[in-house]
PDB file of all heavy atoms in Angstrom:
ATOM      1  N   PRO A 926    -164.151 -42.947 -34.740  1.00  0.00           N
ATOM      2  CA  PRO A 926    -164.484 -42.168 -35.929  1.00  0.00           C
ATOM      3  C   PRO A 926    -163.743 -40.834 -35.996  1.00  0.00           C
ATOM      4  O   PRO A 926    -163.440 -40.341 -37.082  1.00  0.00           O
ATOM      5  CB  PRO A 926    -165.996 -41.961 -35.843  1.00  0.00           C
ATOM      6  CG  PRO A 926    -166.442 -42.532 -34.557  1.00  0.00           C
ATOM      7  CD  PRO A 926    -165.310 -43.259 -33.933  1.00  0.00           C
ATOM      8  N   GLN A 927    -163.404 -40.280 -34.845  1.00  0.00           N
ATOM      9  CA  GLN A 927    -162.679 -39.009 -34.822  1.00  0.00           C
ATOM     10  C   GLN A 927    -161.317 -39.153 -35.504  1.00  0.00           C
ATOM     11  O   GLN A 927    -160.831 -38.220 -36.140  1.00  0.00           O
ATOM     12  CB  GLN A 927    -162.513 -38.510 -33.379  1.00  0.00           C
ATOM     13  CG  GLN A 927    -161.874 -37.146 -33.259  1.00  0.00           C
ATOM     14  CD  GLN A 927    -162.680 -36.035 -33.921  1.00  0.00           C
ATOM     15  OE1 GLN A 927    -163.906 -36.060 -33.940  1.00  0.00           O
ATOM     16  NE2 GLN A 927    -161.986 -35.069 -34.494  1.00  0.00           N
ATOM     17  N   ALA A 928    -160.712 -40.341 -35.411  1.00  0.00           N
ATOM     18  CA  ALA A 928    -159.419 -40.576 -36.062  1.00  0.00           C
ATOM     19  C   ALA A 928    -159.533 -40.415 -37.573  1.00  0.00           C
ATOM     20  O   ALA A 928    -158.636 -39.869 -38.222  1.00  0.00           O
ATOM     21  CB  ALA A 928    -158.896 -41.964 -35.703  1.00  0.00           C
ATOM     22  N   THR A 929    -160.629 -40.878 -38.134  1.00  0.00           N
ATOM     23  CA  THR A 929    -160.844 -40.737 -39.578  1.00  0.00           C
ATOM     24  C   THR A 929    -161.026 -39.272 -39.943  1.00  0.00           C
ATOM     25  O   THR A 929    -160.469 -38.802 -40.934  1.00  0.00           O
ATOM     26  CB  THR A 929    -162.071 -41.567 -40.012  1.00  0.00           C
ATOM     27  OG1 THR A 929    -161.880 -42.918 -39.589  1.00  0.00           O
ATOM     28  CG2 THR A 929    -162.245 -41.528 -41.524  1.00  0.00           C
ATOM     29  N   ILE A 930    -161.765 -38.560 -39.132  1.00  0.00           N
ATOM     30  CA  ILE A 930    -161.956 -37.124 -39.379  1.00  0.00           C
ATOM     31  C   ILE A 930    -160.615 -36.400 -39.310  1.00  0.00           C
ATOM     32  O   ILE A 930    -160.323 -35.526 -40.140  1.00  0.00           O
ATOM     33  CB  ILE A 930    -162.965 -36.534 -38.369  1.00  0.00           C
ATOM     34  CG1 ILE A 930    -164.356 -37.112 -38.649  1.00  0.00           C
ATOM     35  CG2 ILE A 930    -162.981 -35.008 -38.422  1.00  0.00           C
ATOM     36  CD1 ILE A 930    -165.380 -36.823 -37.585  1.00  0.00           C
ATOM     37  N   GLU A 931    -159.784 -36.779 -38.377  1.00  0.00           N
ATOM     38  CA  GLU A 931    -158.462 -36.155 -38.249  1.00  0.00           C
ATOM     39  C   GLU A 931    -157.599 -36.426 -39.481  1.00  0.00           C
ATOM     40  O   GLU A 931    -156.859 -35.541 -39.935  1.00  0.00           O
ATOM     41  CB  GLU A 931    -157.773 -36.630 -36.978  1.00  0.00           C
ATOM     42  CG  GLU A 931    -158.426 -36.073 -35.727  1.00  0.00           C
ATOM     43  CD  GLU A 931    -157.959 -36.747 -34.445  1.00  0.00           C
ATOM     44  OE1 GLU A 931    -157.023 -37.581 -34.496  1.00  0.00           O
ATOM     45  OE2 GLU A 931    -158.545 -36.446 -33.382  1.00  0.00           O
ATOM     46  N   ILE A 932    -157.677 -37.625 -40.019  1.00  0.00           N
ATOM     47  CA  ILE A 932    -156.933 -37.928 -41.254  1.00  0.00           C
ATOM     48  C   ILE A 932    -157.425 -37.032 -42.382  1.00  0.00           C
ATOM     49  O   ILE A 932    -156.620 -36.459 -43.131  1.00  0.00           O
ATOM     50  CB  ILE A 932    -157.077 -39.419 -41.632  1.00  0.00           C
ATOM     51  CG1 ILE A 932    -156.339 -40.297 -40.623  1.00  0.00           C
ATOM     52  CG2 ILE A 932    -156.562 -39.674 -43.048  1.00  0.00           C
ATOM     53  CD1 ILE A 932    -156.643 -41.774 -40.764  1.00  0.00           C
ATOM     54  N   LEU A 933    -158.724 -36.903 -42.510  1.00  0.00           N
ATOM     55  CA  LEU A 933    -159.290 -36.059 -43.570  1.00  0.00           C
ATOM     56  C   LEU A 933    -158.876 -34.598 -43.393  1.00  0.00           C
ATOM     57  O   LEU A 933    -158.506 -33.926 -44.372  1.00  0.00           O
ATOM     58  CB  LEU A 933    -160.811 -36.182 -43.598  1.00  0.00           C
ATOM     59  CG  LEU A 933    -161.348 -37.550 -44.000  1.00  0.00           C
ATOM     60  CD1 LEU A 933    -162.844 -37.639 -43.752  1.00  0.00           C
ATOM     61  CD2 LEU A 933    -161.007 -37.862 -45.440  1.00  0.00           C
ATOM     62  N   GLN A 934    -158.894 -34.114 -42.177  1.00  0.00           N
ATOM     63  CA  GLN A 934    -158.476 -32.739 -41.918  1.00  0.00           C
ATOM     64  C   GLN A 934    -156.988 -32.557 -42.236  1.00  0.00           C
ATOM     65  O   GLN A 934    -156.594 -31.543 -42.811  1.00  0.00           O
ATOM     66  CB  GLN A 934    -158.758 -32.357 -40.456  1.00  0.00           C
ATOM     67  CG  GLN A 934    -160.227 -32.211 -40.166  1.00  0.00           C
ATOM     68  CD  GLN A 934    -160.533 -32.053 -38.686  1.00  0.00           C
ATOM     69  OE1 GLN A 934    -159.808 -32.554 -37.817  1.00  0.00           O
ATOM     70  NE2 GLN A 934    -161.629 -31.355 -38.403  1.00  0.00           N
ATOM     71  N   TYR A 935    -156.187 -33.538 -41.875  1.00  0.00           N
ATOM     72  CA  TYR A 935    -154.755 -33.467 -42.161  1.00  0.00           C
ATOM     73  C   TYR A 935    -154.517 -33.412 -43.667  1.00  0.00           C
ATOM     74  O   TYR A 935    -153.737 -32.581 -44.152  1.00  0.00           O
ATOM     75  CB  TYR A 935    -154.031 -34.672 -41.550  1.00  0.00           C
ATOM     76  CG  TYR A 935    -152.555 -34.649 -41.825  1.00  0.00           C
ATOM     77  CD1 TYR A 935    -151.703 -33.898 -41.031  1.00  0.00           C
ATOM     78  CD2 TYR A 935    -152.016 -35.361 -42.888  1.00  0.00           C
ATOM     79  CE1 TYR A 935    -150.333 -33.845 -41.283  1.00  0.00           C
ATOM     80  CE2 TYR A 935    -150.649 -35.323 -43.153  1.00  0.00           C
ATOM     81  CZ  TYR A 935    -149.824 -34.563 -42.350  1.00  0.00           C
ATOM     82  OH  TYR A 935    -148.478 -34.512 -42.618  1.00  0.00           O
ATOM     83  N   LEU A 936    -155.183 -34.274 -44.401  1.00  0.00           N
ATOM     84  CA  LEU A 936    -155.000 -34.290 -45.855  1.00  0.00           C
ATOM     85  C   LEU A 936    -155.468 -32.991 -46.497  1.00  0.00           C
ATOM     86  O   LEU A 936    -154.863 -32.519 -47.465  1.00  0.00           O
ATOM     87  CB  LEU A 936    -155.715 -35.494 -46.470  1.00  0.00           C
ATOM     88  CG  LEU A 936    -155.125 -36.854 -46.109  1.00  0.00           C
ATOM     89  CD1 LEU A 936    -156.013 -37.966 -46.632  1.00  0.00           C
ATOM     90  CD2 LEU A 936    -153.702 -36.989 -46.614  1.00  0.00           C
ATOM     91  N   GLU A 937    -156.519 -32.415 -45.952  1.00  0.00           N
ATOM     92  CA  GLU A 937    -157.007 -31.150 -46.499  1.00  0.00           C
ATOM     93  C   GLU A 937    -156.007 -30.020 -46.261  1.00  0.00           C
ATOM     94  O   GLU A 937    -155.821 -29.156 -47.118  1.00  0.00           O
ATOM     95  CB  GLU A 937    -158.357 -30.783 -45.877  1.00  0.00           C
ATOM     96  CG  GLU A 937    -158.969 -29.547 -46.504  1.00  0.00           C
ATOM     97  CD  GLU A 937    -160.360 -29.263 -46.006  1.00  0.00           C
ATOM     98  OE1 GLU A 937    -160.772 -29.822 -44.977  1.00  0.00           O
ATOM     99  OE2 GLU A 937    -161.038 -28.472 -46.661  1.00  0.00           O
TER     100      GLU A 937
END
Side-chain angles (χ1 to χ4, degrees):
Q927 185 62 34
T929 305
I930 292 169
E931 290 168 7
I932 291 169
L933 294 170
Q934 290 171 331
Y935 180 83
L936 293 173
E937 185 174 16

